[in-house]
Amino acid sequence: MYLTKEEEGILEGEKGPVLEKLMRLLARLGDIYGAEKMIPVGSVQVSGVSYKSVGDPGLAFLEDMASKGAKVSVLTFLNPAGMDLEDWEKIGFPQDFAKKQLKIMNAFKKMGIVVTSTCTPYLAGNLPRFREHIAWSESSAVSFANSVISARTNREGGPSALAAAVLEKTPEYGLHLDENRKPDVLVDVSCKIESDADFGALGWYIGKSVKSKIPYFKGLPSWSTTDDLKALGAAMAASGAVALYYAEGLTPEAHLQDVSDIEKITVEEEDMKETYAALNSGEKPDIVILGCPHASIRDIQKVASLVNGKSLKKPLWVCTSRVMKEAADRMGYTDVIEEAGGRIVADTCMVVSPIESMGYGTTGCSSGKAAQYLPGFCKQKVVFNSIESLIKEVL
Amino acid sequence: MGRMISPGKATADAIVSDEPIGFYGGVDIETGIVIERGHPLEGECVTGKVLVFPRGKGSTVGSYVIYGLEKNNVGPVAIVNEETETIVATGAILAGIPCVDGIDISRFKSGDILTVDADKGSVEKVGSKGL
C-alpha cells in the first residue's frame, strides 16, 4: 500500500509508540485487503465498550492507550456501556462491575471520545452525510450507515475503529470502493410484514442465509420507518455479517442497482413461521427488554401509550441513548412507563449488561439481533414477538 | 497457498467448523468455550487448537474477544479461514495469533493435526489425533 511520508514517519515511530502501533494495524489491514492508500474519515463509531464484552484485557488495552496519550482527531462516538452510567446503582448493577465499567469510560473520555454510549449514533448526534467515508464499528450502525444513509464504511473491529479515530484515516478497501457495493442477492419479500418483530425475523433469516453478501430487498412495505430498517439491518448483521443492503424505494442508492442477473431468494410465510419458531426458546418472560438497537423516541412513545395507566407484572426495560431518554423525560413518557412498573435504561442494553447475574432466565424481546445474542451471551431463554404482544404478555 | 493475515507458526489439533463464528456472544472470553446456541462447535473449547472456520460473523466486538482470549491464555494457537474479514483480522493481529486465509477448509476435520505457517500462507495436515 502507498503511504505518504507522514504515514511512513508514524510507522517508524516518529510520533511515539501508540500512533506507531495503531498505524501498523491499519497498514497491515490495508495490505491484507489490497488498499492502495489511506483515505480520510469523517467520523468514527467505536465498539467494545461494555466491561462484560471486553473484560480485563480490553480494559488494560484501553487504559494503556489513554495513559500513553492517544487522542482522537475526528468526531468519535461510543457503543453502549454495560450499565446505565447514571442510574446504575438504583437499577441494581453490581458494584464491582460498575467500578470497572467507569474505568473504561474514563479511558475513552481521556482520549477525547464523546462518551455517548449508544449503538444508534445517527440518532444522537453523529450523523454522516451521503457517500461520506467513515470508520464505524457496531455491526448494526455499520449496516444503517451504509444502507439507510449510503455513507461508506467497512465493518470495523473495535480496535481498528479506534485506530481510525486517532489517525483520522482508514485504508481504502472493501465498501469504501463503489465496485464492491453491488448487490449480489435479490430478496423477494412475499410474506406479510406487519410488526417491528417481523423486520427482525426477516433480517435474522436473511442474515443466516446470505452470510456476508449484499442483499437487495424487493417488496418491503412502503410505510417502513427508519426504525424498521434499523431493526432489519441489525438482525442481518448479527445472524450473518451483512454490512450493506438495499431496499427498493426505501434506501437512497437502491434505484441505481442492477438486479437483473443475480441470485434470488423468495421469503414465504412458511420461512417466517420457521424463523419465529427458531428464535423462541422460552415460554413466559421474566423480563421484557426493548431497544436493541437503542429505542428511538418513536419507539418509546409507542411503549408509553401501550402501558399508560396499567400495571406491569414483570419488569420492562426500554434501552435507549441518554439523548432519547432526555426527550422521553421531557415528554412525560418516562413517568408513564415508570408508573406502570417499567423503566427506561440509558447508555446500555440487554446484550452487554450482566442480566444473567441479576436473576433473569427468560427474556422477552422484539429484536432479531437480541434474540441472536441473548441465549449465548446472557444465558437467556427468549420469547420473541412484537412489542404489542410482549407487553400484553406482562400486563 | 493462502494469504498471511497475522504472522507466526503453530502446530496443534484442529477444531473445525463449517459454519461462521461470531466471537462476541459466541466464544466465552474466560474459558475459550463456544457458547453460541445451536452452533456446530457449541460446548467445545478452542484453547490451544488450530481454529478452522470459513469466516467471521456478527458483532464488531469480536476483535476484543479474540484479543481477550489470548490475554487470558485460553485462545487458539492459530486461525485458518476461507476468508478472514476485518473483525477477525484485527483481533488476530492485536493478539499476535498466527492467521491465514484463502484456504480450502473442507480438506480438514476436527482432530487433524495441522501445521500453520502464516508467514508462508501454508496449512498442512501432519497427522491425526490418536494416530
Side-chain angles (χ1 to χ4, degrees), chain B residues 12-85:
Chain B
D13 303 349
I15 176 167
V16 181
S17 167
D18 54 5
E19 283 288 313
I21 295 180
F23 283 82
Y24 178 73
V27 181
D28 185 76
I29 197 171
E30 305 280 343
T31 61
I33 291 170
V34 177
I35 52 174
E36 181 183 334
R37 194 171 63 99
H39 194 278
L41 297 185
E42 185 181 0
E44 295 192 46
C45 183
V46 304
T47 308
K49 303 275 174 56
V50 174
L51 180 57
V52 182
F53 58 102
R55 56 183 54 77
K57 68 168 182 178
S59 171
T60 56
V61 184
S63 308
Y64 277 116
V65 175
I66 295 171
Y67 176 76
L69 287 169
E70 176 65 22
K71 290 286 159 188
N72 288 334
N73 298 314
V74 293
V77 294
I79 293 174
V80 176
N81 296 142
E82 278 170 9
E83 187 193 359
T84 308
E85 37 70 71

Side-chain angles (χ1 to χ4, degrees), chain A residues 21 25 28-29 32-33 47-48 53-55 57-58 61-62 137-139 154-160 162 173 208 211-212 237-241 278-279 281 351-352 372-373 375-377, chain B residues 3-7 18-20 23-30 35-37 55-61 63-65 67-69 71-72 83-87 89-91 93-94 101:
Chain A
K21 185 174 176 181
L25 174 62
R28 176 77 62 73
L29 290 172
I32 293 169
Y33 297 112
S47 71
S53 314
V54 302
F61 174 79
L62 294 168
S137 47
E138 169 48 36
S139 63
N154 286 317
R155 277 162 51 84
E156 298 294 341
S160 65
L162 199 55
Y173 69 93
K208 203 110 190 136
K211 300 188 169 80
S212 58
S239 69
L279 292 178
S281 51
V351 177
V352 298
Q372 167 74 24
Y373 289 131
F377 207 42
Chain B
R3 169 173 72 167
M4 185 263 276
I5 299 290
S6 171
D18 54 5
E19 283 288 313
F23 283 82
Y24 178 73
V27 181
D28 185 76
I29 197 171
E30 305 280 343
I35 52 174
E36 181 183 334
R37 194 171 63 99
R55 56 183 54 77
K57 68 168 182 178
S59 171
T60 56
V61 184
S63 308
Y64 277 116
V65 175
Y67 176 76
L69 287 169
K71 290 286 159 188
N72 288 334
E83 187 193 359
T84 308
E85 37 70 71
T86 320
I87 314 295
T90 299
I93 291 167
L94 269 190
D101 82 344

Side-chain angles (χ1 to χ4, degrees), chain B residues 92-121:
Chain B
I93 291 167
L94 269 190
I97 298 173
C99 178
V100 176
D101 82 344
I103 301 292
D104 171 14
I105 65 165
S106 66
R107 295 187 285 142
F108 306 123
K109 58 181 193 307
S110 290
D112 287 350
I113 298 169
L114 302 182
T115 292
V116 178
D117 186 337
D119 307 34
K120 288 190 189 143

Side-chain angles (χ1 to χ4, degrees), chain A residues 254-273:
Chain A
H255 66 289
L256 303 174
Q257 310 306 318
D258 177 12
V259 292
S260 54
D261 207 21
I262 57 174
E263 176 196 345
K264 184 174 167 184
I265 300 177
T266 304
V267 187
E268 314 274 5
E269 292 303 338
E270 196 52 35
D271 302 317
M272 288 293 270
K273 235 168 100 186

